[in-house]
């Protein structure tokens, strides 16, 4: 794998191979191109880089540590399991990394309002936090199902001062929240900034969000080498839209000896259409929300109903770079079911005293499955992308705790 093969992506039109691009109305292309130009300008500025670095250190609390889950590793037998603790960030997940960048960019561009969608609410909380800090009004669209399921995050968003729009159409989950937020953005793209919550959507968002999230992998690679004088054998992360995974994987793409594994939700079963969200496992190349990517579609060729126990993963598309990395074979995409995820959530909580987000628990579940098949001198590094405060009541109710 040559460095340039991955580092040069996307191309000037926003494509990762055949995926990505801008499949948007002509009236919106100017707005997207303006964002791209502003981003490319601001990222070269020393004052922007200094302000972002200071905020990541003093506001977010970076670098996040790597924790060796010794008791879990011993209980499972086989490989050693390590956790990149993004759950310890301010607001409780990796989302704050790109939300700070997007809020600073919106301020630089003189935007009057920042709009976004959220599923599990972590992006919503992080963006409301960042907007409060820079002083820009914030509007978050969230599906009615997720509003009920993720009540703690809904409360936080309201405390932080954002306007919360509850979306009741269709399945009333993440896809509908994206649709609703995008429609509001189209009302005034000159004055509004749409802060997309993952490495999805039209160019430049898959590139921009990846760049802001790449700090995860840069830190992890350096930390692991410093502590173990080697790299991990396997690096894994959950995949919905794919921001936490691409943030972790980017630093390791040219390390041929490191296996990269993304874990999607198989929900209630891959054989049950509409009851999983395994886009890369069961989907096909298509278009969704302004990008070319793998898409789960129904018999009529429209985005299919999807399901995951984790609200942040129930999306029928996926980031275009993930689609490309699947096709070229650099990343392997596996799945974990709702039940496996619940088991992993409870096991990590009770064995290591760490309550993971249900999204992150998908990667933990896969690691728990594979670790016993490996040897004690092999190492699995999991991106623990968020903490489970938001999920605790839901899990307790579901399990009768």
């Amino acid at each position: 794998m040559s460095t340039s093969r991955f580092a040069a992506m996307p191309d000037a039109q926003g494509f990762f191979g055949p995926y990505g691009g801008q499949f948007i109305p002509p009236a919106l292309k100017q707005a997207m191109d303006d964002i791209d130009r502003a981003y490319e300008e601001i990222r070269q500025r020393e004052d922007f880089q200094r302000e972002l670095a200071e905020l990541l250190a003093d506001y977010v609390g970076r670098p996040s540590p790597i924790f060796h889950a010794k008791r879990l590793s011993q209980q499972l037998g086989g490989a050693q399991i390590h956790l990149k603790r993004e759950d310890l960030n301010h607001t409780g997940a990796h989302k704050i990394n790109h939300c700070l960048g997007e809020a600073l960019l919106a301020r630089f561009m003189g935007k009057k309002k920042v709009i976004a969608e959220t599923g599990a609410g972590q992006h919503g909380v992080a963006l409301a936090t960042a907007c409060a800090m820079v002083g820009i009004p914030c509007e978050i669209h969230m599906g009615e199902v997720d509003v009920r399921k993720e009540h703690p995050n809904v409360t936080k968003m309201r405390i932080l001062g954002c306007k919360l729009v509850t979306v009741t159409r269709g399945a009333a989950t993440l896809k509908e929240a994206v649709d609703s937020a995008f429609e509001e953005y189209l009302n005034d793209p000159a004055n509004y900034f749409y802060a997309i919550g993952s490495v999805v959507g039209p160019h430049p968002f898959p590139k921009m969000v990846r760049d802001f999230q790449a700090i995860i992998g840069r830190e992890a690679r350096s930390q692991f080498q410093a502590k173990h004088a080697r790299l991990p054998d396997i690096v894994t992360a959950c995949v919905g839209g794919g921001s936490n995974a691409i943030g972790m994987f980017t630093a390791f793409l040219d390390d041929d000896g490191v296996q990269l594994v993304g874990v999607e939700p198989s929900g209630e079963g891959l054989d049950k259409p509409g009851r999983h969200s395994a886009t890369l496992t069961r989907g096909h190349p298509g278009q969704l929300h302004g990008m070319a990517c793998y898409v789960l579609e129904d018999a009529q060729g429209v985005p299919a109903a999807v399901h995951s126990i984790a609200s942040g993963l129930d999306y029928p598309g996926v980031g275009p770079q993930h689609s490309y990395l699947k096709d070229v074979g650099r990343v392997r995409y596996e799945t974990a079911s709702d039940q496996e995820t619940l088991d992993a959530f409870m096991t990590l909580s009770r064995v290591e005293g760490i309550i993971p987000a249900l999204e992150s628990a998908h990667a933990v579940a896969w690691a728990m499955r594979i670790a016993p098949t490996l040897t004690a001198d092999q190492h699995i590094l999991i991106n623990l992308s968020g903490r489970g405060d938001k999920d605790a009541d839901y899990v307790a109710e579901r399990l009768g705790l």
Side-chain angles (χ1 to χ4, degrees), residues 122-267:
Q122 288 302 126
H123 175 61
V125 170
L127 191 65
T129 298
C131 286
M133 190 200 66
V134 302
I136 299 177
C138 179
E139 179 174 308
I140 305 293
H141 294 239
M142 189 174 190
E144 184 179 35
V145 170
D146 296 330
V147 168
R148 292 195 303 266
K149 188 175 176 182
E150 306 292 355
H151 181 71
N153 276 345
V154 171
T155 300
K156 290 176 187 176
M157 283 185 275
R158 288 175 169 148
I159 289 172
L160 288 161
C162 85
K163 176 183 177 182
L164 184 70
V165 177
T166 301
V167 181
T168 59
R169 71 179 76 170
T173 56
L174 182 56
K175 176 189 174 296
E176 289 75 25
V178 174
D179 293 340
S180 177
F182 203 66
E183 288 166 11
E184 173 62 16
Y185 172 66
L186 287 174
N187 286 330
D188 191 358
N191 289 303
Y192 297 167
F193 186 94
Y194 186 11
I196 293 177
S198 192
V199 286
V200 298
H203 176 66
F205 284 96
K207 170 187 71 174
M208 189 167 68
V209 174
R210 175 203 62 192
D211 291 351
F212 288 135
Q213 289 295 346
I215 190 171
I216 302 172
R218 290 197 302 270
E219 286 180 0
R221 193 177 187 281
S222 175
Q223 289 168 321
F224 204 92
Q225 279 191 314
K227 191 166 187 177
H228 302 282
R230 53 163 293 174
L231 294 177
D233 297 278
I234 300 172
V235 174
T236 186
C238 66
V239 176
S243 61
N244 94 91
I246 213 70
M248 177 63 108
F249 294 164
T250 296
F252 296 94
L253 285 174
D254 296 304
D255 297 309
D256 292 348
V258 179
Q259 297 181 50
L260 303 177
V261 180
V263 185
E264 298 189 295
S266 57

Side-chain angles (χ1 to χ4, degrees), residues 30 32-42 108 204:
Q30 183 63 53
M32 293 296 105
D33 290 346
D34 287 346
I35 292 172
D36 189 31
R37 280 191 293 271
Y39 170 65
E40 290 299 331
E41 177 185 348
I42 199 174
F108 172 75

Side-chain angles (χ1 to χ4, degrees), residues 5-184:
R5 182 180 185 186
F6 298 114
M9 291 191 167
D11 65 17
Q13 286 71 48
F15 281 96
F16 302 85
Y19 304 105
Q22 293 179 334
F23 295 89
I24 51 180
L28 195 56
K29 179 171 173 50
Q30 183 63 53
M32 293 296 105
D33 290 346
D34 287 346
I35 292 172
D36 189 31
R37 280 191 293 271
Y39 170 65
E40 290 299 331
E41 177 185 348
I42 199 174
R43 71 192 295 239
Q44 303 298 326
R45 290 175 53 145
E46 185 178 337
D47 58 343
F48 171 77
Q49 292 297 340
R50 183 172 57 251
E51 182 176 12
L52 181 59
E54 289 174 353
L55 288 170
L56 289 170
D58 301 334
Y59 191 70
V60 177
R62 304 204 70 89
S64 62
I66 289 179
F67 173 71
H68 183 190
K70 295 179 181 177
R71 293 192 69 237
L72 180 61
S73 302
Q74 183 178 22
Q75 178 174 303
L76 293 171
Q80 302 303 303
I81 293 177
H82 308 262
L83 309 173
K84 176 63 169 164
R85 298 290 308 276
E86 291 297 289
D87 60 309
L88 296 179
N89 293 342
H90 179 44
T91 72
H94 70 291
K95 297 289 189 180
I96 190 68
N97 299 327
H98 72 256
C99 285
L100 281 175
E102 289 182 321
L104 292 174
L105 178 59
R107 185 186 68 185
F108 172 75
M109 296 181 72
K111 298 297 185 179
K112 306 302 183 186
K113 181 169 75 170
V114 175
I115 300 166
E117 83 295 331
T118 194
Q122 288 302 126
H123 175 61
V125 170
L127 191 65
T129 298
C131 286
M133 190 200 66
V134 302
I136 299 177
C138 179
E139 179 174 308
I140 305 293
H141 294 239
M142 189 174 190
E144 184 179 35
V145 170
D146 296 330
V147 168
R148 292 195 303 266
K149 188 175 176 182
E150 306 292 355
H151 181 71
N153 276 345
V154 171
T155 300
K156 290 176 187 176
M157 283 185 275
R158 288 175 169 148
I159 289 172
L160 288 161
C162 85
K163 176 183 177 182
L164 184 70
V165 177
T166 301
V167 181
T168 59
R169 71 179 76 170
T173 56
L174 182 56
K175 176 189 174 296
E176 289 75 25
V178 174
D179 293 340
S180 177
F182 203 66
E183 288 166 11
E184 173 62 16

